[in-house]
Amino acid sequence: MPLIENTIRAGSEFDRKASDFSVLLEMLRDRHGRVLAGGGEKLRARHIERGKIPVRERIDHLVDPLSPFLELSALAAWDQYGNEVPSAGIVTGIGIVTGLPCMIIANDATVKGGSFFHETVKKHLRAQEIAEANKLPCIYLVDCGGAFLPEQDRVFPDRDHFGGTFFQQCRMSAAGLPQISAVFGGCTAGGAYIPALSDEVVMVRGTGRIHLGGPPIVKAAIKEVVDGETLGGAEMHTTVSGVSDYLAESELEAIAKVRDIVGALKWPREVRSPRPVGAPVHDPAEIPGIVGTDLKQPYDVRQVIARIVDGSQFQEFKPAYGSSLVCGFAAIHGEPVGILANNGVLFSESAVKGAHFIELCDQRRTPIVFLQNITGFMVGTEAERGGIAKHSAKLVYAVSNARVPRYTVIIGGSYGAGNYGMCGRGFQPRFLFAWPNARIATMSAEVAANVVTDLRRGSLTRGTADEEEIGRVDRETRAQFEAQSTPYYATSRLWDDGIIEPDQTRDVLGFCLSLASQEIELPGNRPVYRM
Ligand code: COA
């Protein structure tokens, strides 16, 4: 495969861009660091005093030593609820357990007792969706107070609310995906259903509890006064009710038991000889200096591709046509991929070239990676007369119907229908990550301010335009779009699977691609009912 030639020259412009980007990286690392503290020092100390292990350390004990753990949406709920719900109170991610990639879904009991906020439900559902799409066994580390009651209207009743997670558990069971729970703390109501709908359950003596209604609910409902241990303790559930299958004397014993259960799954993965992997010839650490933070400043996206793909080798498709969309074949960590990457606004030619390329990938069973940095499709009389609406629709059709796994990384702007044509969240890529310089919105703040003030000026019901009011609308629209288009606003609301650093892109994509390439046929349609 041809090598992408390095056209990046060291110098003041490169240094300035790298330095601007480093500010974004520092902010990202600081925020990631802050959410690791969970519910804060005091609650963490209480948690440990009770003999409980902090949530991310539980995961460390669960996964194979020195294996990767891909944490998802660590900044969910960021800057919401006064920042008191770090990571939305739940840690999700893919880890290797006894050699097998598994989805791990773990409540953080130091965050409001592990209860579910709107974003907690969304994150839990998303993790299940990823497990289902990539055929991963699912391990639940349960420590969960059910729905966060003050937010119950945003958590309980709707289709994709708490009930959806249990619906999903049942469907995943029927699809043949193993689901295993370890219960570490008080699990009430919804929290109780997670283990109750699992194939196998381990409970920790003394701290693990499962009850549909906790002691206060029991007292209120039937005036029975009972302590939590009698009502739903681990010993009772393992020896009397049968809600639990194994009793563990400590959390570490419970985690070891989960590893044994996973080890005994006889879960086949496709064994294949390793493909040759060559690191990129050009250094991934140079990406920030190529990209910078000014979305208006163009650069050649091939230089980014060269720092993501094996050996910096890229077989470009139709290089002399529709050049604002770069398409081509490469490999990432030995996994063959087709890449579509924006190199300017999308014209009709670029859109149909993209559609054609996606068809090629689909026929050749090659997964597709989208590198999104797009202001949108071309507008204007010439573009409309040239049929941009129908040509862009072809790209959207091809993206929607491709049968191969698709992966999206937002490496810059993600605006308007460009988001659709380049496989935005609505088009259900298997994973979607963003870089810290990303912006996602219908349009940029500047364009939005122009559109909205124009609409206000032209509004018949408002009479003559009042320039003072127009000025206010302009400022408000700008502020709204600026605030709502940051990657933190997006990741907080689970519009992506997390913000990653540019030089991690290759490893993250490689890990995700390897899950798909090892996929097996599931045994299929018989759920496991707990008896
Ligand atoms: N809704 C709202 N707040 C909840 C909650 C829930 N379901 N579960 C816990 N919290 C809050 C507590 O009020 C407390 O808030 P504060 O720090 O602002 O005072 C915080 O989470 C920690 O709870 P605490 O009881 O101190 O922690 P714990 O580790 O001793 O116990 C639980 C954890 C989950 C066992 C316990 O909080 C509990 O039983 N919660 C209620 C469960 C319930 O009835 N759920 C029904 C949902 S439908």
Side-chain angles (χ1 to χ4, degrees), residues 89-279:
I90 194 165
V91 180
T92 63
I94 300 159
I96 314 295
V97 180
T98 65
L100 200 63
C102 295
M103 174 57 75
I104 299 168
I105 301 181
N107 309 112
D108 185 351
T110 68
V111 180
K112 297 289 174 196
S115 58
F116 273 57
F117 289 68
H118 182 71
E119 291 70 21
T120 323
V121 176
K122 240 183 140 176
K123 190 164 163 180
H124 188 117
L125 273 172
R126 174 67 187 146
Q128 290 177 312
E129 187 175 79
I130 290 172
E132 193 176 27
N134 293 279
K135 303 194 173 88
L136 305 175
C138 213
I139 300 170
Y140 302 93
L141 304 183
V142 199
D143 203 342
C144 167
F148 181 71
L149 294 171
E151 291 279 323
Q152 67 94 24
D153 64 330
R154 299 183 66 224
V155 172
F156 175 66
D158 205 357
R159 201 193 92 140
D160 289 327
H161 284 180
F162 216 169
T165 67
F166 307 124
F167 176 73
Q168 193 60 17
Q169 258 188 282
C170 301
R171 306 282 287 211
M172 284 162 68
S173 179
L177 283 168
Q179 297 178 89
I180 296 136
S181 278
V183 177
F184 297 109
C187 298
T188 310
Y193 261 146
I194 301 170
L197 293 169
S198 292
D199 301 355
E200 291 182 73
V201 176
V202 188
M203 278 185 88
V204 180
R205 190 197 290 278
T207 45
R209 288 202 189 131
I210 297 176
H211 24 56
L212 285 192
I217 299 177
V218 171
K219 189 173 169 199
I222 60 168
K223 300 198 171 41
E224 182 188 334
V225 177
V226 62
D227 65 277
E229 193 59 23
T230 310
L231 185 66
E235 185 164 344
M236 188 283 285
H237 276 314
T238 318
T239 59
V240 180
S241 74
V243 168
S244 161
D245 308 307
Y246 310 97
L247 183 61
E249 296 301 327
S250 67
E251 292 206 2
L252 286 178
E253 193 182 313
I255 290 167
K257 189 75 202 167
V258 172
R259 286 182 55 82
D260 288 346
I261 294 169
V262 175
L265 280 178
K266 271 187 72 196
W267 187 250
R269 304 292 294 187
E270 188 189 285
V271 181
R272 57 188 167 83
S273 43
R275 301 189 177 105
V277 176

Side-chain angles (χ1 to χ4, degrees), residues 44 48 53-62 252 255:
R44 189 180 157 97
I48 292 167
I53 301 174
V55 63
R56 287 183 176 83
E57 287 174 36
R58 283 179 185 152
I59 295 172
D60 283 346
H61 288 294
L62 177 64
L252 286 178
I255 290 167

Side-chain angles (χ1 to χ4, degrees), residues 9-70:
R9 299 285 162 258
S12 57
E13 195 194 341
F14 178 89
D15 292 346
R16 183 186 47 75
K17 284 172 147 187
S19 149
D20 290 349
F21 208 103
S22 71
V23 176
L24 300 187
L25 292 176
E26 269 165 42
M27 180 192 277
L28 177 65
R29 289 169 195 164
D30 173 62
R31 292 180 174 187
H32 273 148
R34 280 158 66 179
V35 297
L36 292 183
E41 260 326 297
K42 229 166 105 187
L43 284 160
R44 189 180 157 97
R46 184 180 78 167
H47 188 83
I48 292 167
E49 250 167 49
R50 291 170 166 175
K52 296 172 80 177
I53 301 174
V55 63
R56 287 183 176 83
E57 287 174 36
R58 283 179 185 152
I59 295 172
D60 283 346
H61 288 294
L62 177 64
V63 299
D64 295 351
L66 302 177
S67 67
F69 175 66
L70 178 63

